[in-house]
Amino acid sequence: MSNSLYYKPKREIDAYFMPQCQSLNPQLDYNTIDHGAFMCSKVFLGQYCTLESSSGTGTCPVYSSTSTLSFSSNGSPGSQLDSNSYPSDQNCSPDNANTSSLSNSCVTDDVDDLKYRLRELETVMLGPDPDFVCCYSNHTFGVGIHVASPEFDSWGKVMEMIARKDLKLVLIACARAVAENDQLLAQWLMDELRQMVSVSGEPIQRLGAYMLEGLVARQASSGSSIYKALRCKEPASADLLSYMHILFEVCPYIKFGYMSANGAIAEAMKDEKRVHIVDFQIGQGSQWVTLIQAFAARPGGPPHIRITGIDDSYSAYARGGGLNIVGHRLSRLAQSFKVPFEFNAVDVPACQVLLKDLGIQHGEALAVNFAFILHHMPDESVSTENHRDRLLRVIKGLKPKVVTLVEQECNTNSAAFLPRFVETLDYYTAMFESMDVTLPRDHKDRINVEQHCLARDVVNLVACEGAERVERHELLGKWRSRFTMAGFKPYPLSTLVNNTIRTLLKNYCDRYRLEERDGALYLGWMNRDLVASCAWQCSN
């Protein structure tokens, strides 16, 4: 089978589709986020905004349940929360310490108390807490950091971190203060961080801007509100598709996922006459363009192909209509290549799909595609229904010939807030760095792509909990356990797929790496795995 199975020139594909943004990722609706698409307010040349701004008038505002944020003209965020304002002459108390300025704030009223809290923070970060040190020693802490002695000046150490603009350490220190509900210390560090981050700066500065706003929303107990507000500020659908397309082109992550999954499906179905593919997040349907083309070129003629596409309202918005648009496009494509084709539309969130919706027919070989979608399913840590494992058991009962899995290699599902914060920081730092090699830092397209396709996920990971946190990634080791318990075993990788993906990566920066281990493919940036792909078959 030729490489045309996995990769076609951009000209041919673009004639049919604009690709979706897959969870880099992925979506706004609770159960069916379209792979990381992020929506916020308009981006202006002079001022980058992710939410509408509203100013409080008092010197010590009290946060309400909604949060707004804005970016200043230099790109650094200045959060302003809808507040109950106090008269300017009212005395500040520690209860009203959530202010956006150090000037005339409660923070300066008790420097000794702040120093004491900083010393406590230093002890936890660098001292006797083995869980913290163990958890983060491989990520952020380690360079220039040592265990402090009892005489160590905590205030001086934190001031040193700020003075040398060690943004990662200051972000983590602020996250710990938020986790411990230390509003005084958290607000002081947030004020310092606003001077250090920028949506047009270095990768860590850009990511820091979004992580800071997640911290602000979490500190104000408005994580849900800020997440919903971001959803309300969607760009025009044509613009959103354009941002997704840019991400698809400048980073290989989505292409890697499509190519690896399609390769496994093509290999499993090479001798089948009737093929049924169930795609649990079909988006724009662009994944299936090259697969239909490859089946058309199969010796002995193409099989009859039926695709069941499962959708959500956000994907419909992005493409400007319902699943009928995807069905028509794929039908026209199949007709042009003389491939017998049917399309079955299932216009419901993935975790609400019923067996009858899938239209399983006797005599069809079944393939199920989970590309950047399962991590949006609530599991046992969120819901007693545990949709994540329930769905796998349902699929096992259908006896598919192959099931493909593509997910971000990130551990953010059931982790406590602070380790989740550090994991998010580490993961998305690599993601933002990889974008830097393709698009200039001041390029408007890069700013739009990061705000609309990545930042929403970051805010959700930091600000939200429970059912409102829809970004719940798991490492492939955990996915293996789930698939094994559901009755699956690994499906062997194709050498052709591996070689084709390696050829694809030659078009990108040499800091991308592809590694095969334990029956799965990992695409990474430098020393960080970012996306994992594997395939499964029924064990009996």
Side-chain angles (χ1 to χ4, degrees):
M1 193 171 298
S2 70
N3 287 359
S4 65
L5 168 61
Y6 312 107
Y7 181 70
K8 282 288 182 181
K10 176 175 178 292
R11 175 182 57 81
E12 296 183 60
I13 296 177
D14 285 355
Y16 293 96
F17 306 100
M18 292 287 283
Q20 71 221 50
C21 175
Q22 297 257 20
S23 159
L24 300 173
N25 2 166
Q27 183 166 359
L28 353 167
D29 206 12
Y30 166 40
N31 294 311
T32 54
I33 290 185
D34 186 357
H35 309 319
F38 165 71
M39 299 183 300
C40 55
S41 67
K42 297 186 212 175
V43 178
F44 298 94
L45 292 177
Q47 179 179 7
Y48 304 108
C49 302
T50 53
L51 289 179
E52 294 179 290
S53 302
S54 70
S55 301
T57 58
T59 57
C60 290
V62 172
Y63 292 155
S64 69
S65 61
T66 59
S67 172
T68 62
L69 77 93
S70 64
F71 287 98
S72 64
S73 58
N74 68 356
S76 64
S79 294
Q80 300 168 338
L81 300 168
D82 295 340
S83 60
N84 300 316
S85 301
Y86 289 91
S88 59
D89 60 349
Q90 178 168 333
N91 293 330
C92 293
S93 70
D95 293 334
N96 299 328
N98 286 327
T99 178
S100 63
S101 173
L102 280 175
S103 175
N104 297 324
S105 76
C106 309
V107 175
T108 59
D109 290 347
D110 195 345
V111 175
D112 290 337
D113 180 61
L114 182 56
K115 287 184 177 181
Y116 173 75
R117 294 178 185 276
L118 285 170
R119 188 171 294 110
E120 283 185 327
L121 174 68
E122 174 89 17
T123 299
V124 175
M125 289 172 62
L126 308 175
D129 187 340
D131 292 336
F132 184 84
V133 174
C134 176
C135 184
Y136 306 129
S137 59
N138 292 329
H139 293 279
T140 344
F141 296 97
V143 180
I145 300 298
H146 57 84
V147 176
S149 66
E151 298 82 21
F152 193 82
D153 183 359
S154 299
W155 172 275
K157 186 62 181 179
V158 174
M159 294 301 292
E160 179 186 339
M161 288 160 42
I162 294 172
R164 69 172 184 260
K165 299 187 182 301
D166 196 332
L167 185 51
K168 280 193 173 184
L169 286 182
V170 180
L171 280 166
I172 294 172
C174 187
R176 175 165 284 279
V178 170
E180 295 178 348
N181 199 29
D182 191 336
Q183 297 185 10
L184 183 68
L185 177 58
Q187 185 60 45
W188 177 70
L189 290 173
M190 287 175 184
D191 288 325
E192 294 294 337
L193 284 167
R194 289 188 183 99
Q195 309 306 314
M196 302 169 68
V197 300
S198 169
V199 295
S200 59
E202 297 178 358
I204 184 60
Q205 290 179 301
R206 305 196 307 263
L207 174 59
Y210 303 120
M211 297 202 75
L212 172 58
E213 293 314 320
L215 287 172
V216 170
R218 186 182 184 91
Q219 172 79 344
S221 299
S222 60
S224 174
S225 297
I226 194 172
Y227 191 64
K228 291 175 182 177
L230 288 168
R231 181 172 60 189
C232 293
K233 297 300 176 182
E234 64 219 32
S237 60
D239 292 337
L240 182 56
L241 268 183
S242 175
Y243 305 148
M244 294 173 178
H245 183 70
I246 293 170
L247 179 64
F248 183 88
E249 291 298 326
V250 302
C251 295
Y253 308 117
I254 303 171
K255 290 179 182 178
F256 162 77
Y258 285 173
M259 291 167 64
S260 56
N262 284 358
I265 294 172
E267 179 68 22
M269 303 297 180
K270 61 184 178 182
D271 298 321
E272 299 294 339
K273 297 300 183 182
R274 296 183 66 86
V275 175
H276 184 188
I277 301 170
V278 176
D279 188 351
F280 271 83
Q281 184 60 45
I282 197 165
Q284 316 309 317
S286 54
Q287 177 173 351
W288 309 116
V289 173
T290 54
L291 189 63
I292 291 174
Q293 292 172 326
F295 276 137
R298 194 175 73 172
H304 179 281
I305 301 174
R306 190 156 62 96
I307 294 180
T308 292
I310 298 167
D311 197 29
D312 63 277
S313 59
Y314 176 64
S315 294
Y317 172 80
R319 65 176 166 261
L323 279 172
N324 61 304
I325 295 176
V326 177
H328 289 324
R329 287 173 176 170
L330 291 176
S331 295
R332 290 197 304 270
L333 174 68
Q335 184 177 12
S336 68
F337 283 95
K338 297 180 172 54
V339 176
F341 182 80
E342 292 181 51
F343 186 79
N344 176 34
V346 181
D347 191 16
V348 299
C351 74
Q352 298 177 18
V353 171
L354 301 176
L355 190 58
K356 63 180 181 63
D357 297 326
L358 301 180
I360 303 300
Q361 296 179 8
H362 180 71
E364 291 180 331
L366 178 63
V368 177
N369 185 57
F370 291 120
F372 303 106
I373 180 61
L374 277 182
H375 74 275
H376 291 132
M377 302 279 184
D379 70 346
E380 66 276 5
S381 66
V382 182
S383 168
T384 54
E385 294 181 272
N386 189 0
H387 293 287
R388 200 168 290 196
D389 290 341
R390 178 192 61 80
L391 183 59
L392 292 181
R393 291 193 297 270
V394 169
I395 295 301
K396 170 60 168 59
L398 299 177
K399 299 188 182 303
K401 194 156 188 181
V402 66
V403 178
T404 53
L405 173 71
V406 184
E407 280 293 346
Q408 292 170 253
E409 185 67 358
C410 189
N411 185 18
T412 62
N413 181 28
S414 57
F417 168 68
L418 191 55
R420 183 173 81 241
F421 182 91
V422 176
E423 173 76 348
T424 301
L425 180 61
D426 186 70
Y427 183 90
Y428 281 95
T429 294
M431 189 75 70
F432 276 58
E433 285 177 352
S434 71
M435 294 196 65
D436 235 33
V437 302
T438 307
L439 293 174
R441 291 179 183 175
D442 59 350
H443 199 294
K444 183 181 178 182
D445 284 341
R446 185 200 51 71
I447 295 173
N448 284 330
V449 168
E450 288 178 352
Q451 286 190 336
H452 297 296
C453 299
L454 300 177
R456 179 175 176 78
D457 300 347
V458 172
V459 171
N460 182 254
L461 282 162
V462 174
C464 299
E465 293 293 348
E468 291 169 340
R469 182 160 63 84
V470 299
E471 298 301 320
R472 292 180 168 273
H473 309 98
E474 291 184 325
L475 299 175
L476 187 54
K478 180 63 175 178
W479 290 117
R480 280 198 185 96
S481 297
R482 293 188 186 278
F483 272 81
T484 301
M485 288 188 295
F488 292 97
K489 64 181 180 181
Y491 185 89
L493 294 173
S494 167
T495 302
L496 177 59
V497 175
N498 299 2
N499 293 338
T500 306
I501 294 175
R502 292 186 192 279
T503 301
L504 168 72
L505 290 181
K506 292 180 181 179
N507 298 320
Y508 294 88
C509 175
D510 58 8
R511 279 173 280 180
Y512 288 107
R513 60 175 179 79
L514 183 69
E515 183 178 350
E516 179 183 340
R517 62 179 187 269
D518 301 325
L521 281 179
Y522 294 83
L523 178 63
W525 173 258
M526 299 178 67
N527 63 344
R528 171 78 207 210
D529 292 329
L530 292 177
V531 181
S533 177
C534 57
W536 299 84
Q537 58 187 333
C538 295
S539 56
N540 51 49

